[in-house]
Amino acid sequence: MTIIDAHSHLWYRQDTTWNGKKISPLPNGRSMFLGEEVQMLPPFIIDGHNTAEVFLSNMNYAQVQAAVVVQEFIDGLQNKYLKWVSEHYGDRFFLCGMADYLHPGFLSMARDLIEKKHFRGMAIPGHRLITDTQRVFLNSDEMMQMFHLMEQQDVLLSITLIDGDHQVGELTEVIQECPQLKVAIGHFGMPVAQGWEQQLRLCLHENVYMESGGITWLYNSEFYPFPTAVKVIRQAIDTVGVEKLMWGSDYPRTITAITYRMSYDFICKSDLLTDDEKKSFLGENAKRLYGFKDLPELPYIKNMSE
């Protein structure tokens, strides 16, 4: 089975601020996150560097052939590092650039990233565009100029939205204005929030897809095998069709609680999805959308404990 992770993160060093609060690394995989100490990485990543090499080791072990790497404001701009990753491991990763959307004039940075062909996608953490002091609208003039450029250059938009339907109208306008722009909505539309179906129904537009990055985090209180998460995936398939949906892990934050393989294995073991639906959801849809080719064969390696 082809398995592709449609939502993951990499960073060389987390050192930034968002909404006036600091995010910075601490020892043993922890971070100071918006005024709170949290376990940001698995505790064996002691230096705070969430690197491609460590991720590839996890991918190879879990038999995940490729991954889409998005960006988030809480990790800081990682364009320089991800460009390096693209040059060294571009066959395994689809990498998204990110501009500093919280400051006017970001279009110049975005244009540079797009026109120099450093990235095949651009990431927007839309849920971070609303802070205590400002709101950046997805349908603002500068955003729309960027979306038109992305549509012309065949650059994919990876976007997460604030819970519920607060930004659905804005994104709908973008989709209507740029009908050829490929869009992947993250975090499965936040199905734990009221109004998530409005985000899901955006997938009824021709070039809009949704990936499940972080769904194990949303249902962490249930823990493996995440029965409600599977029911939500079943509901989404019945609503918009399996061909519009993809698996994502939200690596590495989610694997502080579970292993990387567990972030998709619960889907494999479910009897609520057919074998064909599992194949589409876990890899075939992402392979088609992101254009992955010549994926490696990753044989299962027996665990020492078996």
Side-chain angles (χ1 to χ4, degrees), residues 144-288:
M144 292 304 294
Q145 290 180 62
M146 184 181 74
F147 293 137
H148 278 293
L149 177 62
M150 291 171 63
E151 183 183 37
Q152 293 164 11
Q153 298 289 331
D154 193 25
V155 171
L156 179 139
L157 170 63
S158 173
I159 187 167
T160 54
L161 302 178
I162 196 169
D163 297 5
D165 61 358
H166 299 286
Q167 292 170 308
V168 167
E170 297 169 40
L171 187 55
T172 299
E173 184 174 332
V174 172
I175 293 165
Q176 293 172 340
E177 184 77 15
C178 304
Q180 299 307 310
L181 176 66
K182 296 183 179 68
V183 180
I185 299 171
H187 295 169
F188 223 52
M190 294 298 288
V192 294
Q194 185 176 4
W196 84 277
E197 293 91 348
Q198 300 305 310
Q199 291 194 35
L200 175 65
R201 289 184 180 278
L202 289 171
C203 295
L204 296 174
H205 293 274
E206 181 180 1
N207 288 309
V208 181
Y209 299 75
M210 182 171 281
E211 39 88 351
S212 69
I215 199 167
T216 59
W217 156 63
L218 296 177
Y219 297 100
N220 182 62
S221 60
E222 286 187 349
F223 203 66
Y224 186 91
F226 308 106
T228 305
V230 178
K231 292 177 182 177
V232 165
I233 293 169
R234 177 73 265 166
Q235 180 183 348
I237 291 173
D238 293 341
T239 302
V240 301
V242 71
E243 68 278 357
K244 287 302 191 79
L245 305 171
M246 302 173 290
W247 167 67
S249 71
D250 209 6
Y251 174 99
R253 285 179 263 270
T254 48
I255 66 164
T256 57
I258 58 175
T259 68
Y260 186 48
R261 182 184 290 273
M262 289 168 70
S263 66
Y264 74 82
D265 185 64
F266 74 98
I267 297 167
C268 296
K269 289 183 167 59
S270 173
D271 59 2
L272 293 184
L273 278 66
T274 68
D275 288 345
D276 285 344
E277 287 171 338
K278 292 173 185 177
K279 290 177 182 178
S280 295
F281 185 76
L282 289 173
E284 293 299 333
N285 295 340
K287 182 180 180 181
R288 182 178 66 254

Side-chain angles (χ1 to χ4, degrees), residues 133-149:
T133 59
Q134 68 178 124
R135 175 170 182 172
V136 179
F137 289 89
L138 296 173
N139 55 354
S140 68
D141 289 344
E142 194 167 14
M143 279 286 190
M144 292 304 294
Q145 290 180 62
M146 184 181 74
F147 293 137
H148 278 293
L149 177 62

